[in-house]
Amino acid sequence: MKRGLVLTGVAVVLLALSGCVSVETSEERVDVTPGASGVYSDGDTTVEVEPLTAETPAAASTETSTRDEAAYVASVRDTLRPANVIPNATNDQLIEAGIKACELLASGTAPEDITVIDGEERTYGAYLDSFKIYEAAAKDLC
């Protein structure tokens, strides 16, 4: 009796370690290796397994976008340096700059090279105020 239990236990462990997966159909079981695709059959039952494929999300149009302009403007105003180069920027100007930052990022411009403020100079390798605009835009506008 114990020998039968031990053999059954060993068989279960070996099956688990082999990585086989069973697909139950209405009447039969068909073993399928995880990650595999194709047609599997045990004679009477046939199962087709398709590969798992990542989907590319569709680009959102401007009209259906979930942009949160209010959160973006609040974020920019909260994170700009006290001595920023655009102290009198209007909300509309900040939104326009954020959209431009999104476009530059989408075109492949590196974040540290994004500048959306005319006349802004690079400091410590980046355009500091434009970078703050980019960060907020990436979170709330892009």
Side-chain angles (χ1 to χ4, degrees):
M1 179 82 167
K2 287 184 181 181
R3 185 176 263 174
L5 285 174
V6 170
L7 288 176
T8 302
V10 169
V12 168
V13 169
L14 288 175
L15 184 60
L17 291 175
S18 71
C20 289
V21 175
S22 293
V23 176
E24 296 217 24
T25 62
S26 60
E27 297 176 12
E28 301 288 329
R29 289 175 60 104
V30 178
D31 289 329
V32 178
T33 304
S37 63
V39 177
Y40 296 88
S41 177
D42 72 347
D44 294 330
T45 304
T46 301
V47 176
E48 184 174 351
V49 179
E50 296 184 21
L52 183 62
T53 306
E55 295 180 21
T56 304
S61 69
T62 307
E63 295 132 17
T64 61
S65 176
T66 57
R67 295 190 321 192
D68 188 348
E69 292 176 353
Y72 160 75
V73 170
S75 179
V76 170
R77 294 214 183 274
D78 288 344
T79 60
L80 277 176
R81 305 172 300 125
N84 68 72
V85 296
I86 52 170
N88 299 321
T90 66
N91 290 351
D92 288 339
Q93 288 171 320
L94 290 176
I95 292 168
E96 186 178 315
I99 292 169
K100 182 178 177 185
C102 291
E103 291 169 353
L104 289 169
L105 185 63
S107 73
T109 304
E112 65 274 7
D113 293 331
I114 290 176
T115 178
V116 293
I117 302 168
D118 291 338
E120 183 180 20
E121 294 183 17
R122 206 181 270 267
T123 306
Y124 303 113
Y127 298 97
L128 299 181
D129 294 330
S130 288
F131 192 78
K132 294 297 182 184
I133 290 170
Y134 147 75
E135 285 182 316
K139 186 179 79 172
D140 294 314
L141 292 182
C142 301

